[in-house]
Amino acid sequence: MPQPSRGRRPRIGLVLMTAVLTASLSAGTSPAGAASPPHATPNLGQNVTVFDPGMPVADIQAVLDAAHAAQVDDEMGVNRHAYLFKPGTYGTAEQPLQIKVGYYTEIAGLGASPTDVVINGKVEVYNRCLADGGTGNCLALVNFWRTLSNLSINVNAAGQDGCRSSANFWAVSQAVSLRRLDVTGGTLSLMDYCTAGPQYASGGFIADSRLPAVTNGSQQQWLTRDSEVAGWSNGVWNQVFSGVVGAPDEAGFPNPPYTTLDTTPLSREKPYLYVDARGRYNVRVPAARKNTRGVSWATGLTPGRTLPISDFYVARPSDSAQDINRQLARGKNLLLTPGVYDIARSIEIRRPDTVVLGLGHATLTASRGSTPIDVADVPGVVIAGVTIDAGPRKSPVLLRVGARHGNRHSSPANPANPANPTTLSDVYFRVGGPHAGSTDVALEVNSDHVLIDHTWVWRADHGVEGFTDTQRWNTNLGRNGAVVNGDHVTATGLFVEHFQQYNTIWNGDDGTTILYQNELPYDPPTQADWMNGAVEGWAGYKVGDRVRRHRLYGAGVYVFNQNNPQIHTENGFEVPNRPGVRLHHIMTVNLSAGIIDHVVNGEGEAADTTKVGAPVYLTGYPAP
C-alpha cells in the first residue's frame, strides 16, 4: 500500500559489539599502503574478508552473521567492511547461505561476470523495528549505506518461516545500490512486509541486473537502469525505468506512477574488482556507452578495459592526502580500502582516465575545511564507491569536478571527451549525522561531459550530534547540494536532500537527469530563514535562467517542515520557460508539515496538509 511519509527519522543509540571473524583474509606480502607487485595477492587490509568456495558453509555463515549483528544498528558508526567472494558456488540446496547486510557493508563477487559467483540462499535487508523491544514501528527509512554487486543469487529460503520464504527481501532507502546481479529461483521484494508496520521504505537504485518478478511495495521512489525484469508490481510516488527490458508501460501515469525510457542516453557501469583464471586481481573499468538497454554482460565480458591491481595504490585510512597524491602523481590509480580517512588537503586527480575505487563504503572526512576530492578538467576520470563527509570547519566544496572557466567549462588544454565522460558512480555525501559538518556546496561539476550515476547528497536531518532542529540549522551548514555548471552533464539517479537554499542548481546546457528525488530541509526555524529574496523558499530543483536545453525525467520534491509547519515554499521546481527545457513526470508531495504552493513556475496545485501523502503530479512542463 502507498505510504505517506518518511516522517522524523529516529535518533538511534549505537549498538557496540565485537566479533571475531574467522574467514580467510586476503593477505599478501605488501606493506600497508603499498602498491602490490605484479601478480601478487593484494593486501586489502583487515576490513576486507575474501571467501573461497572451498570454505565450509557454516564458517562463512558464522562470519557474516557476526558482521550483521555488529552493523545492523550502527547507523552513524565508523566501521567499514567488504566481504568478497572468489569465483565458485556458495551454499547448497540443503545448507543455503543466507546473508543479512548491515550498515557500511559491501557484499560483492570477484568474478569477471555476475554468473561466476553463485549464492545458493539469500542476500537480504530487513526493516529495523524501533519500538516495543524490536517488534514494533518497523521500517526501512534509515536503511542506508550498503552495497550488493557482481554475483548470482539462486533464492533458497530453506529453514525460513512462511512469510520470509516468500521473497529475497531488500528493504532499503538511499545510498544503497544493487549492481550486476542475476537473481533466479524466487521473487525480489524491495520492502519488508513480514514485520509489523508501518513498513515504509524511501528509495533506491538498481543497474545492470537480471531480475525475477519484483515487488516494489512501499518504496517511495526507485530507479532501475539498464536491466531486465520478469515483472514489476506496485509503485508509491515515483518509479523510473531507463533501458529496462520488461519495464512497465508509463501510459497510465500517474496511476501507476511509472516513468519509462526505452534506452538510457548515456551510461557507464561501475568499476569492479575481479580475480582472473590465474588468480590475479584486476579492476574492470567499463566503457561509456550510448542508448543502452538491458545488461552489459549478456554476451560476454562487459565492454571496457582491464587494469591489473599493480596499477593501483592500495590506500589505508592511516594514509594522508599527501601520501595518496604522491602515488597519483606517479601514475597510479587509487583503491581505497574500507575505513574512515581524515583528509586535510585535496586528493588531486590530474591525470586523464584515473580510477578511484572505494571498497566497503570507504569514507573521506574533510578536515580543516578541505575539499576532499578535486578533479581537474580531464576526460575519463572514474570515481566510484566513495562517501565524502563534511567536517566541522566549513569546506567550500566536498567534491569538485573541473575548475570554472567563465562560460567555458572544459580547459582548452584538456578538452572534454563526449565518448569518455568523467563518471561518478555510487558517490555519496553527508553534511552532519555522525558529527557536525559544514560546507558551502557538496558536489560541484564544472567540466563538460560528466556522468553522475547514482549519488545521494545529504544534509543530515538527524544524527548523533544531539542537536535540536534549530541548532542543526545553525550548525550543519550546507547552501547547495549539487551545482552543475558544465554542459552535456547527465545524471542517472540524483538524490539530494535538506540543503538550506537550492538543493540542486543546474546552470549547464544540454543537461539530462533521469530520476530526481529531493526533500526540502526539515529544520528552517522561521519563514524569514527560508526566503529567496522576496520569494518564499527555494525550489528543490533549479535550472539556471540562461539554460536553453535541459531534460528531466521522473522527479519529486517533498516537504516536511517539522521545525515550523507554517513555512511555505513557492515552487518545487524552477526552470526557464523555453522550448528546449522539458520536464517529464514531475510531482510534489506533503509529508505532513509545511506547504509547497506550486509544482513548477506557479503551475500545479499546492501540496498542503489536506493532501498528506497524495502527490500533486504534472505529466509534463510545459504541458504536452
Side-chain angles (χ1 to χ4, degrees):
M1 294 293 293
Q3 303 296 348
S5 168
R6 180 180 308 175
R8 178 187 288 270
R9 290 173 176 151
R11 299 177 176 95
I12 307 299
L14 300 180
V15 174
L16 302 179
M17 184 178 296
T18 59
V20 177
L21 301 183
T22 59
S24 171
L25 294 180
S26 173
T29 58
S30 303
S36 299
H39 312 319
T41 300
N43 180 358
L44 300 177
Q46 63 181 355
N47 295 327
V48 174
T49 303
V50 177
F51 298 113
D52 184 282
M55 295 180 63
V57 176
D59 289 354
I60 299 173
Q61 187 74 64
V63 169
L64 294 169
D65 286 349
H68 179 256
Q71 294 301 118
V72 63
D73 291 313
D74 200 19
E75 182 183 353
M76 298 297 171
V78 297
N79 294 315
R80 307 285 188 270
H81 295 279
Y83 297 92
L84 310 179
F85 291 79
K86 288 185 176 180
T89 299
Y90 298 81
T92 65
E94 298 75 21
Q95 190 180 14
L97 181 61
Q98 295 171 344
I99 304 167
K100 293 188 287 294
V101 185
Y103 284 102
Y104 310 113
T105 299
E106 177 176 4
I107 305 288
L110 288 173
S113 167
T115 57
D116 292 341
V117 174
V118 178
I119 305 293
N120 286 314
K122 287 184 165 189
V123 185
E124 298 189 296
V125 179
Y126 300 155
N127 288 337
R128 289 175 67 197
C129 297
L130 307 175
D132 306 322
T135 62
N137 190 29
C138 301
L139 43 76
L141 295 180
V142 293
N143 281 353
F144 309 139
W145 305 306
R146 57 204 84 190
T147 298
L148 173 60
S149 65
N150 200 34
L151 50 77
S152 297
I153 302 172
N154 180 21
V155 177
N156 184 333
Q160 294 186 324
D161 66 32
C163 186
R164 284 283 175 231
S165 66
S166 62
N168 189 106
F169 292 94
W170 191 256
V172 296
S173 289
Q174 286 83 353
V176 176
S177 71
L178 297 172
R179 293 181 182 264
R180 295 176 58 80
L181 299 181
D182 189 15
V183 181
T184 59
T187 60
L188 174 66
S189 178
L190 304 178
M191 70 172 292
D192 175 3
Y193 48 75
C194 293
T195 53
Q199 301 173 349
Y200 302 149
S202 185
F205 175 85
I206 293 170
D208 203 21
S209 294
R210 188 161 57 200
L211 303 175
V214 177
T215 300
N216 176 267
S218 63
Q219 283 289 352
Q220 294 166 358
Q221 61 276 318
W222 197 279
L223 173 62
T224 306
R225 178 184 64 69
D226 293 316
S227 294
E228 300 176 13
V229 295
W232 190 278
S233 67
N234 194 271
V236 180
W237 296 333
N238 187 21
Q239 312 292 314
V240 180
F241 305 85
S242 181
V244 177
V245 178
D249 193 274
E250 68 167 38
F253 183 87
N255 185 24
Y258 297 149
T259 302
T260 302
L261 288 75
D262 187 59
T263 60
T264 302
L266 178 67
S267 65
R268 188 203 292 267
E269 302 308 331
K270 181 180 175 182
Y272 58 93
L273 189 67
Y274 78 97
V275 178
D276 65 21
R278 297 176 62 183
R280 298 173 300 189
Y281 281 72
N282 305 277
V283 173
R284 185 69 175 173
V285 185
R289 300 181 299 153
K290 292 186 176 181
N291 301 318
T292 48
R293 176 176 170 85
V295 300
S296 70
W297 42 271
T299 58
L301 193 64
T302 295
R305 58 195 171 107
T306 293
L307 300 176
I309 197 67
S310 57
D311 282 1
F312 285 78
Y313 177 66
V314 181
R316 305 286 187 273
S318 57
D319 289 336
S320 68
Q322 291 93 324
D323 297 331
I324 291 170
N325 283 335
R326 279 193 291 269
Q327 296 294 328
L328 291 169
R330 293 177 53 206
K332 291 292 184 181
N333 299 292
L334 180 61
L335 186 72
L336 296 165
T337 60
V340 178
Y341 297 68
D342 289 327
I343 304 298
R345 57 172 291 182
S346 297
I347 295 174
E348 299 174 348
I349 312 298
R350 297 287 175 258
R351 180 173 53 85
D353 299 313
T354 299
V355 177
V356 177
L357 177 60
L359 300 180
H361 292 259
T363 301
L364 309 179
T365 300
S367 177
R368 305 177 190 172
S370 70
T371 294
I373 299 182
D374 194 347
V375 182
D377 279 311
V378 295
V381 172
V382 177
I383 300 175
V386 179
T387 297
I388 306 175
D389 280 0
R393 185 186 299 181
K394 191 174 185 181
S395 295
V397 184
L398 297 180
L399 192 161
R400 179 187 291 114
V401 180
R404 294 191 181 186
H405 300 285
N407 292 326
R408 180 65 187 166
H409 305 297
S410 293
S411 166
N414 295 292
N417 183 349
N420 189 22
T422 284
T423 304
L424 312 179
S425 297
D426 295 350
V427 177
Y428 309 134
F429 301 81
R430 298 191 299 195
V431 182
H435 47 73
S438 182
T439 190
D440 193 35
V441 174
L443 170 62
E444 181 179 282
V445 177
N446 300 311
S447 294
D448 297 339
H449 298 289
V450 173
L451 173 61
I452 304 167
D453 186 46
H454 189 223
T455 186
W456 186 36
V457 189
W458 186 55
R459 178 179 165 268
D461 60 272
H462 69 282
V464 296
E465 318 100 316
F467 295 146
T468 66
D469 281 333
T470 298
Q471 288 169 334
R472 179 168 288 108
W473 179 262
N474 292 315
T475 305
N476 288 344
L477 305 179
R479 176 169 59 89
N480 305 121
V483 177
V484 178
N485 296 316
D487 296 339
H488 307 287
V489 174
T490 299
T492 48
L494 182 58
F495 298 74
V496 185
E497 298 192 286
H498 309 308
F499 283 81
Q500 294 174 298
Q501 294 185 14
Y502 290 124
N503 275 256
T504 294
I505 305 175
W506 203 295
N507 294 319
D509 240 333
D510 290 299
T512 300
T513 297
I514 300 172
L515 189 134
Y516 180 70
Q517 184 265 329
N518 168 250
E519 280 187 349
L520 299 173
Y522 293 178
D523 53 341
T526 69
Q527 185 72 62
D529 295 297
W530 185 241
M531 293 293 293
N532 179 8
V535 177
E536 290 184 323
W538 304 80
Y541 192 92
K542 166 70 174 178
V543 177
D545 296 339
R546 297 183 179 182
V547 172
R548 295 183 177 277
R549 293 171 299 277
H550 188 85
R551 292 290 185 271
L552 173 63
Y553 300 91
V557 175
Y558 315 151
V559 62
F560 180 57
N561 292 125
Q562 67 179 6
N563 200 20
N564 185 339
Q566 304 307 312
I567 285 176
H568 283 248
T569 301
E570 185 167 319
N571 289 291
F573 302 82
E574 289 181 11
V575 304
N577 188 6
R578 291 197 177 97
V581 178
R582 309 291 299 186
L583 313 184
H584 183 69
H585 291 184
I586 61 173
M587 49 83 76
T588 57
V589 69
N590 190 294
L591 305 183
S592 78
I595 299 170
I596 301 176
D597 295 316
H598 303 284
V599 178
V600 56
N601 292 6
E603 296 194 14
E605 297 179 0
D608 58 25
T609 53
T610 69
K611 305 182 185 74
V612 171
V616 179
Y617 288 107
L618 289 181
T619 301
Y621 181 87

Short mmCIF file of all heavy atoms in Angstrom, two decimals, residues 520 557-561 565 567-570 572 587-599 603-617:
data_model
loop_
_atom_site.label_atom_id
_atom_site.label_comp_id
_atom_site.label_asym_id
_atom_site.label_seq_id
_atom_site.Cartn_x
_atom_site.Cartn_y
_atom_site.Cartn_z
N LEU A 520 12.99 18.84 0.85
CA LEU A 520 13.40 20.14 1.34
C LEU A 520 13.83 20.01 2.81
O LEU A 520 13.50 19.01 3.47
CB LEU A 520 12.24 21.13 1.19
CG LEU A 520 11.77 21.37 -0.24
CD1 LEU A 520 10.51 22.24 -0.25
CD2 LEU A 520 12.85 22.00 -1.09
N VAL A 557 9.74 16.44 -5.41
CA VAL A 557 10.19 17.31 -4.33
C VAL A 557 9.19 17.19 -3.20
O VAL A 557 7.98 17.38 -3.40
CB VAL A 557 10.33 18.78 -4.79
CG1 VAL A 557 10.68 19.69 -3.61
CG2 VAL A 557 11.38 18.92 -5.88
N TYR A 558 9.69 16.89 -1.99
CA TYR A 558 8.83 16.62 -0.85
C TYR A 558 9.05 17.68 0.23
O TYR A 558 10.16 18.22 0.36
CB TYR A 558 9.14 15.24 -0.24
CG TYR A 558 9.30 14.12 -1.23
CD1 TYR A 558 10.13 13.05 -0.96
CD2 TYR A 558 8.62 14.13 -2.45
CE1 TYR A 558 10.27 12.00 -1.86
CE2 TYR A 558 8.76 13.10 -3.36
CZ TYR A 558 9.59 12.04 -3.07
OH TYR A 558 9.74 11.01 -3.98
N VAL A 559 8.01 17.95 1.01
CA VAL A 559 8.12 18.94 2.08
C VAL A 559 7.70 18.32 3.40
O VAL A 559 6.69 17.62 3.49
CB VAL A 559 7.29 20.21 1.77
CG1 VAL A 559 5.80 19.90 1.66
CG2 VAL A 559 7.54 21.29 2.83
N PHE A 560 8.52 18.58 4.44
CA PHE A 560 8.20 18.18 5.80
C PHE A 560 8.89 19.17 6.75
O PHE A 560 9.94 18.90 7.30
CB PHE A 560 8.66 16.75 6.07
CG PHE A 560 8.36 16.26 7.46
CD1 PHE A 560 7.07 16.25 7.95
CD2 PHE A 560 9.37 15.79 8.29
CE1 PHE A 560 6.79 15.80 9.23
CE2 PHE A 560 9.11 15.33 9.57
CZ PHE A 560 7.81 15.34 10.04
N ASN A 561 8.29 20.35 6.87
CA ASN A 561 8.86 21.40 7.72
C ASN A 561 8.51 21.15 9.18
O ASN A 561 7.70 21.86 9.79
CB ASN A 561 8.36 22.77 7.27
CG ASN A 561 8.88 23.20 5.92
OD1 ASN A 561 8.10 23.52 5.02
ND2 ASN A 561 10.19 23.20 5.75
N PRO A 565 5.75 24.08 10.96
CA PRO A 565 4.81 23.58 9.94
C PRO A 565 4.12 24.67 9.13
O PRO A 565 3.44 24.35 8.14
CB PRO A 565 3.80 22.78 10.77
CG PRO A 565 4.52 22.41 12.02
CD PRO A 565 5.42 23.57 12.30
N ILE A 567 5.63 27.02 7.38
CA ILE A 567 6.51 27.55 6.34
C ILE A 567 5.99 27.17 4.95
O ILE A 567 5.51 26.06 4.72
CB ILE A 567 7.95 27.04 6.56
CG1 ILE A 567 8.58 27.80 7.74
CG2 ILE A 567 8.80 27.17 5.31
CD1 ILE A 567 9.95 27.33 8.12
N HIS A 568 6.13 28.13 4.02
CA HIS A 568 5.75 27.92 2.62
C HIS A 568 6.99 27.88 1.73
O HIS A 568 7.98 28.58 1.98
CB HIS A 568 4.87 29.08 2.13
CG HIS A 568 3.46 29.01 2.59
ND1 HIS A 568 2.40 28.77 1.74
CD2 HIS A 568 2.92 29.15 3.83
CE1 HIS A 568 1.27 28.78 2.44
NE2 HIS A 568 1.56 29.01 3.71
N THR A 569 6.91 27.09 0.66
CA THR A 569 7.85 27.12 -0.45
C THR A 569 7.04 27.36 -1.71
O THR A 569 6.10 26.61 -1.99
CB THR A 569 8.63 25.80 -0.55
OG1 THR A 569 9.33 25.56 0.67
CG2 THR A 569 9.61 25.83 -1.71
N GLU A 570 7.40 28.38 -2.48
CA GLU A 570 6.54 28.78 -3.59
C GLU A 570 6.48 27.73 -4.68
O GLU A 570 5.41 27.43 -5.21
CB GLU A 570 7.02 30.12 -4.17
CG GLU A 570 6.08 30.65 -5.25
CD GLU A 570 6.35 32.09 -5.60
OE1 GLU A 570 6.60 32.89 -4.68
OE2 GLU A 570 6.30 32.42 -6.79
N GLY A 572 8.17 23.80 -6.19
CA GLY A 572 9.06 22.66 -6.06
C GLY A 572 10.19 22.71 -7.09
O GLY A 572 11.32 22.34 -6.79
N MET A 587 6.48 15.89 -9.72
CA MET A 587 5.48 15.92 -8.65
C MET A 587 6.04 16.58 -7.41
O MET A 587 7.26 16.68 -7.23
CB MET A 587 5.02 14.49 -8.30
CG MET A 587 6.12 13.46 -8.06
SD MET A 587 6.84 13.45 -6.41
CE MET A 587 5.54 12.65 -5.51
N THR A 588 5.13 17.06 -6.56
CA THR A 588 5.44 17.47 -5.19
C THR A 588 4.53 16.69 -4.26
O THR A 588 3.45 16.22 -4.66
CB THR A 588 5.22 18.98 -4.98
OG1 THR A 588 3.86 19.31 -5.32
CG2 THR A 588 6.17 19.80 -5.85
N VAL A 589 4.96 16.55 -3.00
CA VAL A 589 4.13 15.83 -2.03
C VAL A 589 4.37 16.39 -0.64
O VAL A 589 5.49 16.81 -0.30
CB VAL A 589 4.39 14.31 -2.07
CG1 VAL A 589 5.77 13.96 -1.54
CG2 VAL A 589 3.32 13.54 -1.32
N ASN A 590 3.33 16.42 0.16
CA ASN A 590 3.41 16.89 1.54
C ASN A 590 3.52 15.69 2.47
O ASN A 590 2.73 14.74 2.39
CB ASN A 590 2.15 17.70 1.88
CG ASN A 590 2.26 18.41 3.21
OD1 ASN A 590 2.32 17.78 4.26
ND2 ASN A 590 2.29 19.74 3.16
N LEU A 591 4.52 15.74 3.35
CA LEU A 591 4.74 14.65 4.31
C LEU A 591 4.21 14.99 5.70
O LEU A 591 4.65 14.39 6.67
CB LEU A 591 6.24 14.33 4.39
CG LEU A 591 6.93 13.99 3.07
CD1 LEU A 591 8.39 13.64 3.31
CD2 LEU A 591 6.23 12.86 2.36
N SER A 592 3.31 15.96 5.77
CA SER A 592 2.52 16.30 6.97
C SER A 592 2.90 17.61 7.63
O SER A 592 2.30 17.95 8.65
CB SER A 592 2.53 15.19 8.04
OG SER A 592 3.73 15.18 8.78
N ALA A 593 3.83 18.41 7.06
CA ALA A 593 4.14 19.71 7.66
C ALA A 593 4.72 20.62 6.59
O ALA A 593 5.56 20.20 5.79
CB ALA A 593 5.13 19.58 8.81
N GLY A 594 4.29 21.90 6.58
CA GLY A 594 4.74 22.83 5.57
C GLY A 594 3.90 22.76 4.31
O GLY A 594 3.00 21.92 4.18
N ILE A 595 4.18 23.66 3.36
CA ILE A 595 3.39 23.74 2.14
C ILE A 595 4.31 24.08 0.96
O ILE A 595 5.12 25.00 1.07
CB ILE A 595 2.29 24.82 2.24
CG1 ILE A 595 1.30 24.50 3.37
CG2 ILE A 595 1.53 24.97 0.92
CD1 ILE A 595 0.34 25.63 3.68
N ILE A 596 4.16 23.34 -0.15
CA ILE A 596 4.71 23.76 -1.44
C ILE A 596 3.54 24.29 -2.25
O ILE A 596 2.59 23.56 -2.55
CB ILE A 596 5.41 22.61 -2.18
CG1 ILE A 596 6.55 22.03 -1.34
CG2 ILE A 596 5.94 23.10 -3.53
CD1 ILE A 596 7.23 20.82 -1.99
N ASP A 597 3.58 25.58 -2.60
CA ASP A 597 2.42 26.23 -3.21
C ASP A 597 2.15 25.76 -4.64
O ASP A 597 1.00 25.70 -5.07
CB ASP A 597 2.60 27.75 -3.19
CG ASP A 597 2.63 28.30 -1.77
OD1 ASP A 597 1.79 27.88 -0.95
OD2 ASP A 597 3.50 29.13 -1.47
N HIS A 598 3.23 25.45 -5.40
CA HIS A 598 3.06 25.05 -6.79
C HIS A 598 4.12 24.01 -7.14
O HIS A 598 5.17 23.93 -6.51
CB HIS A 598 3.21 26.24 -7.73
CG HIS A 598 2.25 27.36 -7.45
ND1 HIS A 598 0.91 27.32 -7.79
CD2 HIS A 598 2.45 28.56 -6.83
CE1 HIS A 598 0.33 28.43 -7.40
NE2 HIS A 598 1.24 29.20 -6.82
N VAL A 599 3.84 23.25 -8.19
CA VAL A 599 4.81 22.25 -8.63
C VAL A 599 5.98 22.93 -9.33
O VAL A 599 7.14 22.73 -8.97
CB VAL A 599 4.15 21.21 -9.55
CG1 VAL A 599 5.19 20.19 -10.04
CG2 VAL A 599 3.02 20.49 -8.82
N GLU A 603 2.70 26.76 -11.56
CA GLU A 603 1.71 25.81 -12.06
C GLU A 603 1.61 24.61 -11.12
O GLU A 603 2.59 24.19 -10.52
CB GLU A 603 2.06 25.34 -13.47
CG GLU A 603 2.02 26.46 -14.49
CD GLU A 603 2.03 25.95 -15.92
OE1 GLU A 603 1.80 24.72 -16.10
OE2 GLU A 603 2.26 26.75 -16.84
N GLY A 604 0.42 24.04 -11.06
CA GLY A 604 0.18 22.90 -10.19
C GLY A 604 -0.41 23.33 -8.86
O GLY A 604 -0.08 24.40 -8.34
N GLU A 605 -1.25 22.50 -8.30
CA GLU A 605 -1.90 22.79 -7.03
C GLU A 605 -0.90 22.76 -5.88
O GLU A 605 0.23 22.26 -6.01
CB GLU A 605 -3.01 21.78 -6.76
CG GLU A 605 -4.14 21.80 -7.76
CD GLU A 605 -5.18 20.74 -7.44
OE1 GLU A 605 -5.00 20.01 -6.43
OE2 GLU A 605 -6.15 20.63 -8.21
N ALA A 606 -1.34 23.26 -4.74
CA ALA A 606 -0.50 23.26 -3.55
C ALA A 606 -0.41 21.85 -2.96
O ALA A 606 -1.41 21.13 -2.89
CB ALA A 606 -1.05 24.21 -2.50
N ALA A 607 0.80 21.47 -2.55
CA ALA A 607 1.00 20.27 -1.75
C ALA A 607 0.91 20.71 -0.30
O ALA A 607 1.90 21.13 0.31
CB ALA A 607 2.34 19.64 -2.06
N ASP A 608 -0.29 20.65 0.25
CA ASP A 608 -0.52 21.15 1.60
C ASP A 608 -1.02 20.01 2.48
O ASP A 608 -1.08 18.85 2.06
CB ASP A 608 -1.49 22.34 1.60
CG ASP A 608 -2.84 22.01 0.96
OD1 ASP A 608 -3.23 20.82 0.96
OD2 ASP A 608 -3.50 22.93 0.46
N THR A 609 -1.39 20.33 3.70
CA THR A 609 -1.75 19.28 4.66
C THR A 609 -3.14 18.71 4.43
O THR A 609 -3.55 17.81 5.16
CB THR A 609 -1.61 19.81 6.10
OG1 THR A 609 -2.36 21.02 6.24
CG2 THR A 609 -0.15 20.08 6.44
N THR A 610 -3.85 19.18 3.40
CA THR A 610 -5.07 18.49 3.00
C THR A 610 -4.77 17.32 2.07
O THR A 610 -5.68 16.55 1.73
CB THR A 610 -6.05 19.45 2.30
OG1 THR A 610 -5.51 19.83 1.02
CG2 THR A 610 -6.28 20.70 3.15
N LYS A 611 -3.51 17.19 1.66
CA LYS A 611 -3.13 16.15 0.70
C LYS A 611 -1.94 15.35 1.23
O LYS A 611 -1.07 14.94 0.44
CB LYS A 611 -2.75 16.77 -0.64
CG LYS A 611 -3.78 17.69 -1.28
CD LYS A 611 -3.27 18.17 -2.63
CE LYS A 611 -4.21 19.19 -3.26
NZ LYS A 611 -4.12 20.50 -2.57
N VAL A 612 -1.85 15.11 2.51
CA VAL A 612 -0.70 14.42 3.07
C VAL A 612 -0.53 13.06 2.40
O VAL A 612 -1.46 12.23 2.37
CB VAL A 612 -0.84 14.27 4.59
CG1 VAL A 612 0.26 13.36 5.13
CG2 VAL A 612 -0.77 15.63 5.27
N GLY A 613 0.64 12.85 1.81
CA GLY A 613 0.93 11.59 1.16
C GLY A 613 0.33 11.42 -0.22
O GLY A 613 0.54 10.40 -0.86
N ALA A 614 -0.40 12.42 -0.69
CA ALA A 614 -1.04 12.35 -2.00
C ALA A 614 -0.32 13.33 -2.94
O ALA A 614 -0.51 14.54 -2.83
CB ALA A 614 -2.52 12.70 -1.91
N PRO A 615 0.50 12.86 -3.85
CA PRO A 615 1.29 13.76 -4.68
C PRO A 615 0.44 14.64 -5.58
O PRO A 615 -0.66 14.28 -5.99
CB PRO A 615 2.15 12.80 -5.52
CG PRO A 615 2.17 11.53 -4.76
CD PRO A 615 0.84 11.45 -4.09
N VAL A 616 1.01 15.80 -5.90
CA VAL A 616 0.46 16.67 -6.93
C VAL A 616 1.33 16.46 -8.17
O VAL A 616 2.52 16.79 -8.16
CB VAL A 616 0.49 18.15 -6.50
CG1 VAL A 616 -0.06 19.03 -7.62
CG2 VAL A 616 -0.30 18.35 -5.22
N TYR A 617 0.78 15.87 -9.20
CA TYR A 617 1.54 15.48 -10.38
C TYR A 617 1.31 16.45 -11.53
O TYR A 617 0.21 16.98 -11.72
CB TYR A 617 1.11 14.09 -10.87
CG TYR A 617 1.54 12.93 -10.02
CD1 TYR A 617 0.63 12.25 -9.21
CD2 TYR A 617 2.85 12.48 -10.03
CE1 TYR A 617 1.01 11.16 -8.44
CE2 TYR A 617 3.25 11.39 -9.27
CZ TYR A 617 2.31 10.73 -8.47
OH TYR A 617 2.70 9.65 -7.72
#
